[in-house]
Amino acid sequence: MDVITVKELQALGMSCTALDKLNECLPGRRRTPLLIINNNCWVIGGIERMVGRLMNYFQDQYKIILLTPPPAKTHFPLPSEIVHVCIDSTISSERTQRIVDFVKLMSAELYWGNDNLAADALGVYPLLNGTGTKTIMLNHYNWLYPYKWEAFCSKALKKRNDILDAPDIIINLNECSAHMGRLSCRRKIGVIPNPNPYSAVEYIPESDRERLVLAVGRFDDWNKRIDRTLTVFNHLAQLDPSVKFLVVGNLNLNMTMFPTGPTLNETIQKLGLPLNRIEFVPETNHVEQYYKRAKVIVFNSDSEAFSLCMTEAEQFGIPSVASFFPGIEDIITDGENGYFDVV
């Protein structure tokens, strides 16, 4: 094939605003191997920052295509060399085959899948066996996460268990998850922790920092348990009237804290939080300015694979205080560079 047309992309339920760059990735025109990365969304979040950082390592050796649903209005910026192809998110029943057809069309040497909590995305791995495309299954969640929320993840969990022999490489983000995965499928599973997104930071002495407790995350995801964090804030506010609090990330006051439960707004009202001492900042690409201000950062997620915000905070010299979850011991040694069990 000499060129891919808009019409041919539309037939696959896909679109691309940089068609010239996409055509440069065709097998007859590219001079380097092709890597296709499949992500379940493109927003401002830890996965996007991690994927963006890893792209830097691959760029010298591969042409890279990022395949996602249409990005959110506010999303992590991509390097100009990356070709972003969007797949229609309303065609989930056909998504598996369309992704496979696109990978075959491009004759990609390597397929890297991040979307491994979706049954249709998991179905891509066995269909690429024998095509000449090597596959990497990179799991950004704790291995036990789909068991914990089996009511929501049962279809994906069954599919994952059925296809575990299909990927050429399976990678988890922490040793605990990798070990549990090895016990589950009796195959080799590698570990690659999230890379740090900041190559160099300005050291701010503790004496120059504010009496500020920080929380950073996608708090419109109830797995991040912003309700616990606000409970901690409320307790600290009563102990020390000089302490202030800063929440950086998306908040939805009408979200329920569990599939069924009080809304975040109801939780705030029940706690009687001193809102005059809490600063709320929407999601941002420039969170480093807040790391420079705080003395401590608080995490209360139910589950994480490898918290990027924890390692970012460490880079800025901020200790973490966190509820325990399997895998956190890869980042924090209790009592040395942080503490477990906030609530």
Side-chain angles (χ1 to χ4, degrees), residues 116-117 141-154 156-158 160:
N116 299 316
L117 283 175
Y141 56 87
N142 187 286
W143 189 264
L144 294 181
Y145 181 89
Y147 290 97
K148 183 172 184 177
W149 302 110
E150 192 168 357
F152 304 97
C153 301
S154 58
L157 179 59
K158 182 180 184 306
R160 185 185 76 174

Side-chain angles (χ1 to χ4, degrees), residues 164 314 322 343:
L164 282 174
E314 283 190 353
V343 179

Side-chain angles (χ1 to χ4, degrees), residues 61-76:
Q61 300 179 34
Y62 288 87
K63 288 274 192 182
I64 300 177
I65 295 174
L66 176 67
L67 184 61
T68 76
K73 184 177 180 181
T74 306
H75 56 273
F76 190 81

Side-chain angles (χ1 to χ4, degrees), residues 37-49:
I37 302 172
N38 180 32
N39 225 56
N40 65 316
C41 61
W42 199 251
V43 295
I44 292 178
I47 291 178
E48 287 71 26
R49 295 210 304 281

